[in-house]
């Protein structure tokens, strides 16, 4: 797939007016109907590497609602390779929308319990020579290389801040490889996301030469991964009404953080903020 530019949406909010900032949303969700979002960037070089190795089956892992599983199945269908998804937990019918769609796109689903899942994740996966393994969330060095390309597809003359939601931190690590002098902020969607900083460092080969600053903010997890609160729900409902359907697990928390930070005087007046809409098209 050849990508030109990532569409931008200007997000208007009274908190931004007061703070004298402009906030643009980078619509990664709009790059493709089936595999929009950051997962495309995390997978593209993995797919190329799989082909270089002469393999035809991409094997990966995820929870039952994993966007990574969704994107892997969509790309397998589109680009003609086989996909196998190890799913944490028991098979339940009817399949939820993610697993139902993944199977409709041809992914072979294999259910494993938590212990077995952890075992597989740490590399104890029996593999055929035709199988290429991508870790959970797609997060490896190829993923970082793909995410390093995201900002080159943004057509915004000047912006000082870049925000993304962090699960594994690979997307943020990629952004840090862009070579652009920005303030990079990751919002942890996990409780106790302090370890994420170390993970990002480990994934970022050129971090010592970073042209800019970066941080991971850990106060916007709303109880932990896939947890929510009435405040977050109300925020997302309001946003959805004015703009587009919002993913509450990742993007909603990151956008909430931007509004909150604007109210706290976090941003330098007259600056421009770019927020990555990393979700798939909903
Ligand atoms: C997977 C995902 C992320 C997190 O990406 P990481 O590279 O794991 O930090 C952010 N937003 C959405 C919508 C995702 O699906």
């Amino acid at each position: 797939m050849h990508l030109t530019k990532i569409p931008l949406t200007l997000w208007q909010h009274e908190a931004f007016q007061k703070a004298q900032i402009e906030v643009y949303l980078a619509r990664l969700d709009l790059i493709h109907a089936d595999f929009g979002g950051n997962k495309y960037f995390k997978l593209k070089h993995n797919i190329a590497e799989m082909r270089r190795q002469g393999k035809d089956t991409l094997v990966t892992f995820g929870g039952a609602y994993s966007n990574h599983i969704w994107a892997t199945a969509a790309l397998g269908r589109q680009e003609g390779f086989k996909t196998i998804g190890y799913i944490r937990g028991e098979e339940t019918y009817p399949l939820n929308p993610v697993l139902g769609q993944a199977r409709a796109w041809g992914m072979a689903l294999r259910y494993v319990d938590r212990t077995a899942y952890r075992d597989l994740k740490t590399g104890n996966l029996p593999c055929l020579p035709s199988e290429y393994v991508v870790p959970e969330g797609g997060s490896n060095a190829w993923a970082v290389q793909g995410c390093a390309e995201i900002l080159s597809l943004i057509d915004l003359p000047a912006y000082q801040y870049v925000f993304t939601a962090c699960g594994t931190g690979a997307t943020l690590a990629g952004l840090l490889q862009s070579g652009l002098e920005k303030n990079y902020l990751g919002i942890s969607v996990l409780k106790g996301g302090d370890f994420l900083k170390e993970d990002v460092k480990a994934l970022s080969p050129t971090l010592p030469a970073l042209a800019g600053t970066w941080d991971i903010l850990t106060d916007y997890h709303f109880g932990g991964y896939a947890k929510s609160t009435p405040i977050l729900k109300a925020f997302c409902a309001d946003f959805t009404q004015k703009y587009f359907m919002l993913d509450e697990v990742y993007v909603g928390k990151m956008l909430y953080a931007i509004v909150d930070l604007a109210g706290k005087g976090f941003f330098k007046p007259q600056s421009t903020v770019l927020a990555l809409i990393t979700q798939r098209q909903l």
Side-chain angles (χ1 to χ4, degrees):
M1 182 171 77
H2 179 71
L3 281 179
T4 46
K5 292 291 173 191
I6 296 171
L8 296 170
T9 299
L10 177 63
W11 178 21
Q12 291 179 306
H13 194 289
E14 64 171 333
F16 304 155
Q17 240 172 348
K18 282 191 195 138
Q20 299 176 52
I21 60 170
E22 278 197 327
V23 181
Y24 285 90
L25 307 174
R27 304 291 305 277
L28 277 62
D29 57 322
L30 297 182
I31 63 174
H32 192 275
D34 295 334
F35 50 80
N38 64 337
K39 300 301 184 285
Y40 166 73
F41 292 94
K42 297 176 82 169
L43 282 164
K44 58 180 282 198
H45 292 295
N46 274 298
I47 294 165
E49 175 62 14
M50 171 179 73
R51 296 222 154 106
R52 275 193 294 272
Q53 293 182 13
K55 301 182 174 186
D56 69 357
T57 306
L58 200 157
V59 183
T60 195
F61 313 88
Y65 289 89
S66 166
N67 291 330
H68 168 63
I69 290 290
W70 173 288
T72 301
L75 278 156
R77 167 71 170 223
Q78 162 101 9
E79 304 208 356
F81 57 86
K82 290 181 227 162
T83 56
I84 298 173
Y86 283 92
I87 309 301
R88 188 181 56 232
E90 280 178 20
E91 185 170 21
T92 50
Y93 279 96
L95 293 179
N96 76 42
V98 172
L99 298 182
Q101 186 59 262
R103 202 176 60 175
W105 279 325
M107 180 178 264
L109 301 174
R110 294 179 183 167
Y111 298 86
V112 284
D113 66 32
R114 282 172 186 279
T115 320
Y117 186 85
R118 204 174 320 123
D119 226 41
L120 290 172
K121 238 171 57 168
T122 46
N124 297 319
L125 180 65
C127 236
L128 299 174
S130 59
E131 295 176 351
Y132 175 85
V133 181
V134 173
E136 192 178 38
S139 297
N140 58 12
W142 295 116
V144 172
Q145 191 175 318
C147 292
E149 296 164 15
I150 294 173
L151 295 185
S152 69
L153 300 170
I154 301 289
D155 218 350
L156 190 61
Y159 54 100
Q160 293 75 41
Y161 299 89
V162 180
F163 276 77
T164 195
C166 289
T168 65
T171 302
L172 178 61
L175 296 174
L176 299 180
Q177 313 296 305
S178 306
L180 300 174
E181 191 177 342
K182 311 283 179 197
N183 303 304
Y184 298 93
L185 280 316
I187 302 300
S188 172
V189 303
L190 319 161
K191 192 148 88 182
D194 292 320
F195 68 89
L196 274 173
K197 273 200 111 156
E198 289 313 310
D199 289 359
V200 169
K201 283 182 200 162
L203 284 163
S204 309
T206 65
L207 203 54
L210 177 67
T213 63
W214 72 286
D215 200 2
I216 295 182
L217 307 184
T218 53
D219 288 338
Y220 297 102
H221 58 71
F222 290 90
Y225 183 74
K227 296 279 185 343
S228 191
T229 68
I231 290 178
L232 180 63
K233 282 186 189 300
F235 171 82
C236 291
D238 182 61
F239 181 93
T240 293
Q241 205 182 20
K242 293 182 182 131
Y243 292 93
F244 50 87
M245 247 285 243
L246 201 53
D247 158 82
E248 221 175 287
V249 177
Y250 291 97
V251 182
K253 294 179 182 180
M254 187 253 316
L255 295 185
Y256 182 95
I258 295 173
V259 173
D260 189 62
L261 292 166
K264 289 176 172 161
F266 178 87
F267 300 104
K268 224 173 135 199
Q270 315 306 336
S271 52
T272 300
V273 177
L274 183 75
L276 302 194
I277 304 302
T278 45
Q279 68 196 32
R280 62 184 164 85
Q281 205 163 300
L282 296 174

